């Protein structure tokens, strides 16, 4: 009965009207096309947990061949750039206070003598702890270089004495799968694709519907013979098209600009992204039925954005969160799409490994769409 009342003529009229309205609305076109690109480039470079090339200041009191070799080892580690050389604690303080340097390495006067003899040299490291992540990376880098330098010296001593180089009683061999270089961009770019699609599409959909209310055109459409289903689908399908354009653009930028190609099926990625887009369109439609103005729609959309960044696993591992926050994160569609998009991008897995997240996302899509449609119909009636 419902399908008999559905008129393709009226539906096409609404669809044509909506496309014409979007084309005439230059700011919306710019937002739909420019914002995903801008956000991906911005966050792709800004959201970076790799810590390297930290500026460092060195006070080399030894001025020996061994101390210069240690400084070269620091530079070769790529974690530190020991470009500044000073001759006292006062100068070190000025560099750290001004943030021109994040680390200070102090080599004692007897470093070369102790290394060449049988003694033990102690290198002092001062770290700017205002950024704990950078501070930990700097300390680990200096400790690793110090350990390697000490091991090399010990091996040289034993070789000079005619002994064999000892082997550590426990040796650890590590291999990193999926992201061997452990670059944060490889992890962040797929997540940014989901986050940007969610934010842009939800906001555009909500604004479009609320704008109709503010202009009074929604009431004009209600008095026409157009059915609620025809009106809703006619207004939403253009945003599905926009979503596909945005998805294609951010995928191309992620693959060719940031050099993060998907290891899995691109077709599967597009298929599951469509499911995610339907969910987000339903969210935007639901927001539009509640909000009275575009300002309210923006505020409600931001209520979705912030939890999505913090609780979905985009920035922080969900396994380390308290059970209550894990439960809140489980109510976000982005949580499951991130597992899907990272699984396809990083691991190259298929639907046999992603069926659970796909099923949950399908429930979200169907439930939210019917809820939004019911609310939308009620508002029209």
């Amino acid at each position: 009965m419902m399908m008999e009342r559905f008129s393709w003529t009226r539906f096409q009229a609404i669809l044509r009207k909506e496309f014409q309205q979007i084309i005439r609305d230059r700011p919306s076109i710019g937002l739909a096309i420019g914002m995903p690109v801008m956000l991906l480039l911005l966050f792709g470079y800004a959201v970076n947990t790799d810590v390297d090339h930290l500026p460092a200041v060195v006070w080399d009191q030894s001025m020996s061949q061994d101390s210069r070799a240690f400084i070269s080892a620091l530079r070769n580690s790529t974690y530190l750039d020991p470009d500044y050389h000073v001759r006292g604690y006062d100068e070190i303080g000025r560099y750290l206070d001004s943030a021109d340097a994040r680390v200070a390495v102090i080599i004692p006067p007897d470093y070369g003598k102790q290394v060449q003899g049988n003694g033990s040299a102690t290198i002092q490291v001062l770290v700017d702890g205002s950024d704990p992540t950078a501070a930990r990376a700097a300390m680990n880098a200096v400790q690793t270089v110090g350990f390697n330098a000490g091991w090399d010296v010990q091996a040289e001593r034993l070789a000079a004495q005619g002994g064999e180089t000892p082997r550590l009683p426990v040796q650890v061999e590590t291999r990193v799968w999926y992201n061997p270089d452990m670059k944060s961009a490889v992890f962040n770019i797929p997540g940014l694709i989901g986050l940007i699609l969610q934010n842009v599409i939800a906001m555009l959909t909500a604004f479009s519907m609320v704008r109709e209310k503010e202009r009074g055109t929604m009431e004009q459409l209600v008095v026409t013979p157009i059915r609620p289903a025809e009106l809703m689908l006619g207004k939403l399908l253009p945003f599905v098209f926009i979503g596909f354009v945005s998805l294609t653009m951010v995928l191309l930028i992620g693959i060719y600009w940031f050099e993060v190609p998907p290891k899995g099926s691109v077709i599967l990625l597009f298929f599951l992204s469509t499911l995610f887009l339907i969910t987000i369109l339903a969210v935007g439609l639901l927001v539009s039925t509640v909000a009275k103005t575009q300002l309210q729609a923006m505020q409600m959309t931001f209520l979705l954005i912030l939890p999505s960044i913090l609780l979905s696993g985009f920035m922080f591992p969900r396994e380390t969160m308290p059970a209550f926050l894990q439960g809140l994160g489980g109510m976000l569609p982005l949580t499951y799409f991130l597992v899907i998009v990272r699984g396809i991008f990083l691991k190259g897995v298929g639907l046999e490994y992603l069926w659970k997240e796909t099923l949950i996302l399908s429930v979200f899509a169907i439930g939210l769409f019917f809820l939004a449609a019911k609310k939308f119909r009620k508002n029209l009636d």
Side-chain angles (χ1 to χ4, degrees):
M1 189 67 180
M2 182 67 185
M3 293 300 298
E4 293 177 357
R5 292 183 297 173
F6 190 92
S7 170
W8 285 102
T9 303
R10 293 192 297 259
F11 165 69
Q12 291 173 3
I14 287 292
L15 191 62
R16 186 166 51 252
K17 167 199 170 291
E18 193 64 23
F19 267 114
Q20 291 174 351
Q21 184 171 321
I22 291 176
I23 292 173
R24 291 174 186 151
D25 191 354
R26 298 290 179 86
S28 294
I29 289 290
L31 186 68
I33 297 177
M35 182 175 284
V37 175
M38 182 192 70
L39 289 178
L40 186 62
L41 292 174
L42 179 63
F43 283 105
Y45 286 109
V47 182
N48 191 337
T49 55
D50 295 335
V51 179
D52 52 11
H53 295 291
L54 291 173
V57 58
V58 178
W59 182 13
D60 185 2
Q61 302 175 74
S62 175
M63 301 299 292
S64 62
Q65 182 179 352
D66 296 292
S67 65
R68 288 191 291 271
F70 184 83
I71 296 172
S72 296
L74 286 178
R75 186 181 299 279
N76 293 335
S77 71
T78 70
Y79 288 103
L80 301 179
D81 288 336
D83 296 331
Y84 305 109
H85 297 268
V86 297
R87 297 191 178 186
Y89 282 103
D90 291 340
E91 292 183 74
I92 288 175
R94 286 195 291 271
Y95 274 99
L96 294 181
D97 289 343
S98 62
D100 290 332
R102 307 296 296 271
V103 187
V105 179
I106 303 167
I107 302 175
D110 59 347
Y111 178 82
K113 180 180 178 180
Q114 294 290 350
V115 168
Q116 294 301 325
N118 293 321
S120 176
T122 301
I123 294 177
Q124 185 180 8
V125 181
L126 304 177
V127 180
D128 178 1
S130 57
D131 186 342
T133 302
R136 283 191 292 269
M139 289 189 295
N140 291 336
V142 178
Q143 288 172 356
T144 300
V145 171
F147 175 82
N148 292 336
W151 183 255
D152 292 341
V153 170
Q154 188 67 19
E156 291 175 2
R157 288 177 182 173
L158 291 171
Q161 296 172 4
E164 294 183 0
T165 302
R167 295 177 62 85
L168 293 174
V170 177
Q171 298 188 31
V172 179
E173 179 182 347
T174 60
R175 295 182 181 179
V176 180
W177 287 14
Y178 310 127
N179 185 10
D181 297 328
M182 293 189 290
K183 295 180 179 179
S184 61
V186 176
F187 177 77
N188 289 332
I189 295 302
L192 282 170
I193 291 173
L195 184 67
I196 290 170
L197 282 177
Q198 171 192 269
N199 297 347
V200 173
I201 299 304
M203 192 172 295
L204 283 174
T205 307
F207 279 19
S208 172
M209 298 295 189
V210 175
R211 187 167 54 243
E212 295 277 11
K213 294 181 184 178
E214 290 185 336
R215 293 175 178 175
T217 53
M218 186 67 75
E219 287 76 6
Q220 297 176 10
L221 291 173
V222 170
V223 298
T224 65
I226 296 173
R227 301 293 179 183
E230 299 162 358
L231 177 58
M232 184 179 66
L233 291 176
K235 293 188 70 64
L236 288 183
L237 283 182
F239 293 103
V240 175
F241 174 77
I242 291 175
F244 271 112
V245 173
S246 300
L247 174 63
T248 303
M249 292 177 61
V250 294
L251 277 178
L252 291 175
I253 293 174
I255 294 171
Y256 294 105
W257 184 272
F258 290 100
E259 298 180 346
V260 184
K263 295 181 179 179
S265 170
V266 177
I267 296 176
L268 179 62
L269 178 61
F270 268 94
F271 173 74
L272 296 181
S273 297
T274 303
L275 186 62
F276 181 65
L277 282 175
I278 294 173
T279 307
I280 299 308
L281 285 170
V283 171
L285 180 61
L286 192 59
V287 169
S288 70
T289 59
V290 177
K292 303 298 182 183
T293 64
Q294 294 188 59
L295 179 60
Q296 290 180 2
M298 179 182 294
Q299 292 171 341
M300 292 180 183
T301 306
F302 273 107
L303 286 178
L304 172 69
I305 293 175
L306 185 58
S308 295
I309 294 175
L310 299 177
L311 303 180
S312 66
F314 170 72
M315 292 187 65
F316 309 107
R318 297 188 67 245
E319 294 79 7
T320 62
M321 300 178 186
F324 172 70
L325 293 181
Q326 289 189 35
L328 289 179
M331 299 171 63
L332 300 171
L334 182 62
T335 300
Y336 306 98
F337 185 68
L338 289 183
V339 177
I340 291 172
V341 71
R342 284 171 175 161
I344 296 175
F345 257 89
L346 303 182
K347 301 179 181 180
V349 298
L351 200 58
E352 67 274 14
Y353 290 96
L354 302 173
W355 66 269
K356 181 180 178 181
E357 287 76 20
T358 302
L359 179 62
I360 296 174
L361 202 58
S362 301
V363 173
F364 269 113
I366 295 172
L368 287 173
F369 194 84
F370 273 103
L371 180 62
K374 184 178 180 180
K375 188 76 174 175
F376 183 76
R377 181 186 299 272
K378 183 177 179 181
N379 283 3
L380 291 182
D381 295 341

